[in-house]
Coordinates of all heavy atoms in Angstrom, one line a residue:
G1 N -5.9 -0.5 -0.3 CA -5.2 -0.2 -1.5 C -3.8 -0.9 -1.5 O -3.4 -1.5 -0.5
G2 N -3.1 -0.8 -2.6 CA -1.8 -1.3 -2.7 C -1.7 -2.8 -2.6 O -0.7 -3.4 -2.3
L3 N -2.8 -3.5 -3.0 CA -2.8 -5.0 -2.8 C -1.9 -5.7 -3.7 O -1.3 -6.8 -3.4 CB -4.2 -5.5 -3.0 CG -5.2 -5.0 -1.9 CD1 -6.6 -5.5 -2.2 CD2 -4.8 -5.4 -0.5
F4 N -1.7 -5.1 -4.9 CA -0.8 -5.8 -5.9 C 0.5 -5.2 -6.1 O 1.3 -5.6 -7.0 CB -1.6 -6.0 -7.2 CG -2.8 -6.8 -7.1 CD1 -4.1 -6.2 -7.0 CD2 -2.7 -8.2 -7.1 CE1 -5.2 -6.9 -6.9 CE2 -3.9 -8.9 -6.9 CZ -5.1 -8.3 -6.8
I5 N 0.8 -4.1 -5.4 CA 2.1 -3.4 -5.5 C 2.9 -3.5 -4.2 O 3.8 -2.7 -4.0 CB 1.9 -2.0 -6.0 CG1 1.0 -1.2 -4.9 CG2 1.3 -1.9 -7.3 CD1 1.0 0.3 -5.1
R6 N 2.6 -4.5 -3.4 CA 3.3 -4.7 -2.1 C 3.1 -3.4 -1.3 O 4.1 -3.0 -0.7 CB 4.8 -5.1 -2.3 CG 5.0 -6.3 -3.1 CD 5.3 -7.6 -2.4 NE 6.1 -7.5 -1.3 CZ 5.9 -8.1 -0.1 NH1 4.7 -8.7 0.0 NH2 6.7 -8.0 0.8
G7 N 2.0 -2.9 -1.2 CA 1.7 -1.7 -0.4 C 1.6 -2.1 1.1 O 1.8 -3.3 1.4
R8 N 1.4 -1.1 1.9 CA 1.4 -1.4 3.4 C 0.4 -2.4 3.8 O 0.7 -3.2 4.7 CB 1.1 0.0 4.1 CG 1.3 -0.2 5.6 CD 0.8 1.0 6.3 NE -0.6 0.9 6.8 CZ -1.1 0.1 7.7 NH1 -0.2 -0.8 8.2 NH2 -2.3 0.0 8.1
H9 N -0.7 -2.5 3.2 CA -1.8 -3.4 3.6 C -1.5 -4.9 3.2 O -2.1 -5.8 3.7 CB -3.1 -3.0 3.1 CG -3.6 -1.7 3.6 ND1 -4.1 -1.5 4.8 CD2 -3.7 -0.5 2.9 CE1 -4.4 -0.2 5.0 NE2 -4.2 0.4 3.9
S10 N -0.5 -5.1 2.4 CA -0.2 -6.4 1.9 C 1.1 -6.9 2.3 O 1.6 -8.0 1.8 CB -0.4 -6.5 0.4 OG 0.6 -5.7 -0.3
R11 N 1.7 -6.3 3.3 CA 3.0 -6.7 3.9 C 2.8 -7.1 5.3 O 1.9 -6.6 5.9 CB 4.1 -5.7 3.7 CG 4.5 -5.5 2.2 CD 5.7 -4.6 2.1 NE 5.1 -3.2 2.3 CZ 5.8 -2.1 2.3 NH1 7.1 -2.2 2.3 NH2 5.2 -1.0 2.5
G12 N 3.6 -8.0 5.8 CA 3.5 -8.5 7.2 C 3.1 -7.5 8.3 O 2.1 -7.6 8.9
L13 N 4.0 -6.6 8.5 CA 3.8 -5.6 9.6 C 2.5 -4.8 9.4 O 1.7 -4.5 10.4 CB 5.0 -4.7 9.9 CG 6.2 -5.5 10.4 CD1 7.4 -4.5 10.5 CD2 5.9 -6.1 11.7
G14 N 2.3 -4.4 8.2 CA 1.1 -3.6 7.9 C -0.2 -4.4 8.1 O -1.2 -3.9 8.7
M15 N -0.2 -5.7 7.7 CA -1.3 -6.6 7.9 C -1.6 -6.8 9.4 O -2.7 -6.8 9.8 CB -1.1 -7.9 7.1 CG -1.2 -7.7 5.6 SD -0.9 -9.3 4.8 CE -2.4 -10.1 5.1
I16 N -0.5 -7.0 10.1 CA -0.7 -7.2 11.6 C -1.3 -6.0 12.2 O -2.2 -6.2 13.0 CB 0.7 -7.6 12.2 CG1 1.1 -9.0 11.8 CG2 0.6 -7.5 13.7 CD1 2.5 -9.4 12.2
A17 N -0.8 -4.8 11.9 CA -1.4 -3.6 12.4 C -2.9 -3.5 12.0 O -3.7 -3.1 12.9 CB -0.6 -2.4 11.9
D18 N -3.2 -3.8 10.8 CA -4.6 -3.8 10.4 C -5.5 -4.8 11.1 O -6.6 -4.5 11.5 CB -4.7 -4.0 8.8 CG -4.3 -2.9 8.0 OD1 -4.2 -1.8 8.5 OD2 -4.1 -3.1 6.8
L19 N -5.0 -6.0 11.3 CA -5.7 -7.0 12.1 C -6.0 -6.5 13.5 O -7.1 -6.7 14.0 CB -4.9 -8.3 12.1 CG -4.8 -9.0 10.8 CD1 -3.8 -10.2 10.9 CD2 -6.1 -9.4 10.2
E20 N -5.1 -5.8 14.1 CA -5.3 -5.3 15.5 C -6.3 -4.2 15.4 O -7.2 -4.2 16.3 CB -4.0 -4.8 16.0 CG -3.0 -5.8 16.4 CD -1.6 -5.3 16.7 OE1 -1.4 -4.1 16.8 OE2 -0.7 -6.1 16.9
K21 N -6.3 -3.4 14.5 CA -7.3 -2.3 14.3 C -8.7 -2.9 14.2 O -9.6 -2.5 14.8 CB -6.9 -1.4 13.1 CG -7.9 -0.4 12.8 CD -7.5 0.4 11.5 CE -8.6 1.2 10.9 NZ -8.1 2.0 9.7
Y22 N -8.8 -3.9 13.3 CA -10.1 -4.4 13.0 C -10.7 -5.3 14.2 O -11.8 -5.2 14.4 CB -10.1 -5.3 11.7 CG -9.6 -4.6 10.5 CD1 -8.8 -5.1 9.5 CD2 -10.1 -3.2 10.3 CE1 -8.4 -4.4 8.4 CE2 -9.7 -2.5 9.2 CZ -8.9 -3.1 8.2 OH -8.5 -2.4 7.1
A23 N -9.8 -5.9 14.9 CA -10.2 -6.7 16.1 C -10.7 -5.7 17.1 O -11.7 -6.0 17.8 CB -9.0 -7.5 16.6
A24 N -10.0 -4.6 17.4 CA -10.4 -3.6 18.3 C -11.8 -3.0 17.9 O -12.7 -2.9 18.8 CB -9.4 -2.5 18.5
A25 N -11.9 -2.8 16.7 CA -13.2 -2.2 16.2 C -14.4 -3.2 16.4 O -15.4 -2.8 16.9 CB -13.1 -1.9 14.7
M26 N -14.1 -4.5 16.1 CA -15.2 -5.4 16.3 C -15.5 -5.6 17.8 O -16.7 -5.8 18.2 CB -14.8 -6.8 15.7 CG -14.7 -6.7 14.1 SD -14.2 -8.1 13.3 CE -15.6 -9.2 13.6
L27 N -14.5 -5.6 18.6 CA -14.8 -5.6 20.1 C -15.6 -4.5 20.6 O -16.3 -4.6 21.6 CB -13.4 -5.7 20.9 CG -12.7 -7.1 20.7 CD1 -11.3 -7.0 21.3 CD2 -13.5 -8.2 21.4
M28 N -15.5 -3.4 19.9 CA -16.3 -2.2 20.2 C -17.7 -2.2 19.6 O -18.5 -1.3 19.7 CB -15.6 -0.9 19.8 CG -14.3 -0.7 20.5 SD -13.3 0.7 19.9 CE -14.3 2.1 20.2
G29 N -18.0 -3.3 18.8 CA -19.3 -3.4 18.2 C -19.4 -3.0 16.7 O -20.5 -3.0 16.2
W30 N -18.3 -2.6 16.2 CA -18.3 -2.1 14.8 C -18.4 -3.3 13.8 O -17.8 -4.3 14.1 CB -17.1 -1.3 14.4 CG -17.1 0.1 15.0 CD1 -16.6 0.4 16.3 CD2 -17.6 1.3 14.4 NE1 -16.8 1.8 16.4 CE2 -17.4 2.3 15.3 CE3 -18.1 1.5 13.1 CZ2 -17.8 3.6 15.0 CZ3 -18.5 2.8 12.8 CH2 -18.3 3.9 13.7
R31 N -19.0 -3.1 12.7 CA -18.9 -4.0 11.6 C -18.0 -3.4 10.5 O -18.2 -2.2 10.2 CB -20.3 -4.2 10.9 CG -21.3 -4.9 11.9 CD -22.7 -5.1 11.4 NE -23.2 -3.7 11.1 CZ -24.2 -3.4 10.3 NH1 -24.7 -4.3 9.5 NH2 -24.6 -2.2 10.1
V32 N -17.0 -4.0 10.1 CA -16.0 -3.5 9.2 C -16.0 -4.2 7.9 O -15.7 -5.4 7.8 CB -14.6 -3.5 9.8 CG1 -13.6 -2.9 8.9 CG2 -14.5 -2.8 11.2
L33 N -16.4 -3.4 6.9 CA -16.4 -4.0 5.5 C -15.1 -3.6 4.8 O -14.9 -2.4 4.7 CB -17.6 -3.5 4.7 CG -17.7 -3.8 3.3 CD1 -17.9 -5.4 3.1 CD2 -18.9 -3.1 2.6
R34 N -14.3 -4.5 4.4 CA -13.1 -4.2 3.7 C -13.3 -4.5 2.2 O -13.8 -5.5 1.8 CB -12.0 -5.2 4.2 CG -11.7 -4.9 5.7 CD -10.7 -5.9 6.2 NE -9.5 -5.8 5.5 CZ -8.5 -6.7 5.6 NH1 -8.7 -7.9 6.2 NH2 -7.4 -6.5 5.0
V35 N -13.0 -3.5 1.4 CA -13.2 -3.6 0.0 C -11.9 -3.2 -0.8 O -11.1 -2.5 -0.3 CB -14.4 -2.7 -0.5 CG1 -15.6 -3.1 0.2 CG2 -14.1 -1.2 -0.3
A36 N -11.8 -3.7 -2.0 CA -10.6 -3.4 -2.9 C -11.2 -2.6 -4.0 O -12.4 -2.4 -4.2 CB -10.0 -4.7 -3.4
D37 N -10.3 -2.1 -4.8 CA -10.6 -1.2 -5.9 C -11.6 -1.9 -6.9 O -12.5 -1.3 -7.4 CB -9.4 -0.7 -6.7 CG -8.5 -1.8 -7.3 OD1 -8.7 -3.0 -7.0 OD2 -7.7 -1.4 -8.1
K38 N -11.4 -3.2 -7.1 CA -12.3 -4.0 -8.0 C -13.8 -3.8 -7.5 O -14.7 -3.7 -8.3 CB -11.9 -5.4 -8.0 CG -12.9 -6.3 -8.7 CD -12.5 -7.8 -8.6 CE -13.6 -8.7 -9.2 NZ -13.3 -10.1 -9.2
H39 N -14.0 -3.9 -6.2 CA -15.3 -3.9 -5.6 C -16.0 -2.5 -5.8 O -17.2 -2.4 -5.9 CB -15.3 -4.3 -4.1 CG -14.7 -5.6 -3.9 ND1 -13.6 -5.8 -3.0 CD2 -14.9 -6.8 -4.4 CE1 -13.3 -7.1 -3.1 NE2 -14.0 -7.7 -3.9
V40 N -15.1 -1.4 -5.7 CA -15.7 -0.1 -5.9 C -16.0 0.1 -7.4 O -17.1 0.5 -7.7 CB -14.6 1.0 -5.5 CG1 -15.1 2.4 -5.9 CG2 -14.4 0.9 -4.0
K41 N -15.1 -0.3 -8.3 CA -15.3 -0.1 -9.7 C -16.5 -0.9 -10.3 O -17.2 -0.4 -11.2 CB -14.0 -0.5 -10.5 CG -12.9 0.4 -10.3 CD -11.6 -0.1 -10.9 CE -10.4 0.9 -10.7 NZ -9.2 0.3 -11.2
N42 N -16.7 -2.1 -9.8 CA -17.9 -2.9 -10.3 C -19.2 -2.7 -9.6 O -20.2 -3.3 -9.9 CB -17.5 -4.4 -10.4 CG -17.4 -5.1 -9.1 OD1 -17.8 -4.6 -8.1 ND2 -16.8 -6.3 -9.1
G43 N -19.1 -1.8 -8.6 CA -20.4 -1.5 -7.9 C -20.7 -2.4 -6.7 O -21.7 -2.1 -6.0
A44 N -19.9 -3.4 -6.5 CA -20.2 -4.4 -5.4 C -20.2 -3.7 -4.1 O -21.0 -3.9 -3.2 CB -19.3 -5.6 -5.5

């Protein structure tokens, strides 16, 4: 969320924290699908 309003996920420190989370998840064998509101709204 917050991709176009300078939310936490689209600012430097927030993005770095997310990257660490996703890297740790992948190292544990998780597949992480990241979606935006557009992808939910259009059914993708």
Side-chain angles (χ1 to χ4, degrees):
L3 297 176
F4 297 101
I5 59 169
R6 302 260 320 132
R8 189 189 90 68
H9 296 287
S10 62
R11 288 184 285 174
L13 292 177
M15 289 180 72
I16 288 170
D18 284 347
L19 293 171
E20 291 170 3
K21 172 183 170 178
Y22 301 142
M26 292 178 72
L27 288 168
M28 295 171 66
W30 285 89
R31 297 174 298 157
V32 181
L33 175 64
R34 298 173 63 195
V35 301
D37 61 346
K38 172 186 175 178
H39 306 124
V40 174
K41 290 175 182 174
N42 70 16

